[in-house]
Amino acid sequence: PITREEIQIDLDRRRPGQSRITTPRNEADSVEILSGLNPENISLGTPMGMLVRNKDQRSTDYLDNDMNVAYRPSHADATYDAKYGVRAIAGGGRSSARETIGRVAAGAVARKILKMYNGIEVLAYVSKVQDISCENVNDDTFTMEEVDANIVRCPDPASAEKMLERIDEIRKAGNSIGGVVTCVARNVPAGLGAPVFDKLEADLAKACMSIPAAKGFESGDGFEGTLLSGKDHNDEFYIDPETGAT
């Protein structure tokens, strides 16, 4: 079973216009389920069709300025034009970050399936903004409620305040900065994925790097592991006697 309301929860977390550090567009992002469920909200095994309508699109924001004659920096405008000979000036078209709505809606369904069949829990938080790192967060115990307690989405309130101050400083100067998102998956069973090209880490890397503006991916200790010897880097092998998790 899956309901529209369950999917809407995740879409509401993504929705623009929630705070001063996000895009100012005010979209309700209300999802409509078109197919794949029966009247009792039981999935039928057929593709689930979901629709989220744009209601605050502002084409003139793009057309009534230099964007209609110049490529946007750090955007796919130039690449699209070079590949296809045409580009969507008003809003970015297929390369717009608006496409992440589909990822979030599908992810809400996947989240429930993972929770139902193995108790898998997937959470994420902002762990770094420019050179300000998140401190005092236990990856084994932090909750979504702690992440959503502030507009930075950092479960450590003190670090979140420092991050917000830096973002405001840069934003008021007419500039922008990047950050790091840490994703934690709990209760993951051994054996997911397949050898060679379909390893779990390989699939995760491709999925994350296909998100607009993503420029790096690390798993585990990532590149910091190169600073350790093999004996220091490797974990002792352990199998939980109750869950079987390694």
Side-chain angles (χ1 to χ4, degrees), residues 71-72 75-84 86-87:
Y71 297 128
R72 281 170 283 181
H75 203 276
D77 280 1
T79 305
Y80 250 73
D81 209 358
K83 185 176 180 67
Y84 300 111
V86 66
R87 64 188 178 102

Side-chain angles (χ1 to χ4, degrees), residues 98-234:
R98 191 86 176 127
E99 60 89 358
T100 55
I101 286 180
R103 301 171 188 251
V104 173
V109 178
R111 182 198 297 276
K112 183 160 190 180
I113 293 173
L114 293 173
K115 188 72 173 179
M116 286 176 59
Y117 288 102
N118 207 74
I120 297 175
E121 185 179 25
V122 181
L123 298 171
Y125 64 94
V126 173
S127 57
K128 192 172 184 179
V129 169
Q130 204 170 38
D131 60 342
I132 302 174
S133 297
C134 180
E135 301 173 354
N136 304 317
V137 175
N138 187 332
D139 284 347
D140 292 329
T141 60
F142 80 90
T143 65
M144 185 180 293
E145 288 72 24
E146 292 173 334
V147 173
D148 289 346
N150 58 74
I151 61 176
V152 185
R153 300 284 171 86
C154 173
D156 175 35
S159 297
E161 190 61 32
K162 295 177 183 177
M163 293 175 179
L164 183 58
E165 290 176 359
R166 178 66 58 81
I167 294 171
D168 280 339
E169 174 188 345
I170 299 296
R171 180 176 60 87
K172 291 175 182 177
N175 210 337
S176 61
I177 50 176
V180 177
V181 173
T182 294
C183 182
V184 178
R186 300 170 182 160
N187 303 320
V188 178
L192 294 183
V196 191
F197 297 112
D198 295 316
K199 296 184 179 79
L200 178 60
E201 287 183 336
D203 285 340
L204 291 174
K206 181 176 182 180
C208 289
M209 290 301 295
S210 69
I211 297 172
K215 293 300 177 184
F217 175 86
E218 292 183 322
S219 176
D221 288 331
F223 292 111
E224 289 188 4
T226 63
L227 305 177
L228 304 173
S229 68
K231 290 183 178 179
D232 291 330
H233 192 209
N234 287 329

